[in-house]
Amino acid sequence: GLTATPDNRTYGFFKKNVVSDYSHEKAVADGVNVGNEIYLIETQITQQGAQITAQQQVERREKLTRKKRWEQQDEDEAYSATQLDRAIVNPDQIRTVIRTFRDKLPEMFPGRKEVPKTLIFAKTDSHADDIIQTVREEFGEGNRFCRKITYRAAQDKKLADGSMQQGEDPKSILAQFRNEYHPRIAVTVDMIATGTDVKPLECLLFMRDVKSRNYFEQMKGRGTRTLDFDNLKKVTPSAKSAKT
């Protein structure tokens, strides 16, 4: 059998009968994959959680319809980092991460005129919507700049006024992300976390925890595909060299 991500169970089952082992490090040395550098963005809320104070006006959302209403908080309520973007949404925390990413791009990719193709991993479909709205605002760009690629993107949605918004085909958006200038940033939950090649992809932004090491390695693999200079330049015109 073959597996891209062997774990302890794999080695335990086959014991000493593993015939061949080709690591990511060897692949980078052979020029099959590219290496990666890690840039860490930490916020106080993602580390420690925070508190909603009594008498504060808070926005409540219905999960299915995303219908919103404002209410006054009755009493102080603390929330943990694990509740963030699931039970509690703190727009400032999302904005801080996106703004830091935007401001540090010239440092990470000097000389670039456009945002490198970026994939953001969100916790949920609702979290993805919040990220997309923030990205468009912080970069001052329209809908084409940042798109959602999730299974739910294809579903029709009922809007607050009762009308229906037709869903978009995620495969079509993925093809645009892979082959065209727009979108520059895509947001996903699980749909393209594994098994999908987008060779021009240069940035992965993890706005979620990944508890499985194997899954994390697979997700990182979305950004490790090599790409020659000519093909990278087709979608990222200001690139100065091949994807290394």
Side-chain angles (χ1 to χ4, degrees), residues 209-221:
D209 290 330
V210 185
K211 294 181 171 59
S212 164
R213 181 175 180 83
N214 265 18
Y215 192 41
F216 180 61
E217 291 299 325
Q218 288 178 311
M219 293 165 80
K220 281 202 302 181

Side-chain angles (χ1 to χ4, degrees), residues 37-51:
E37 296 178 7
I38 296 172
Y39 195 103
L40 191 62
I41 302 172
E42 288 185 340
T43 69
Q44 184 175 344
I45 291 173
T46 50
Q47 295 293 309
Q48 303 171 8
Q51 181 170 287

Side-chain angles (χ1 to χ4, degrees), residues 33 36 61 68 75-76 132 162-163 175 185 191 194 196 201 210-211 231 238 244:
N33 282 352
N36 63 276
R61 291 182 188 170
K68 302 172 184 178
E75 57 187 21
D76 291 348
I132 289 167
S163 62
I185 297 176
M191 182 174 168
T194 64
T196 303
L201 193 54
V210 185
K211 294 181 171 59
N231 282 309
S238 66
T244 58

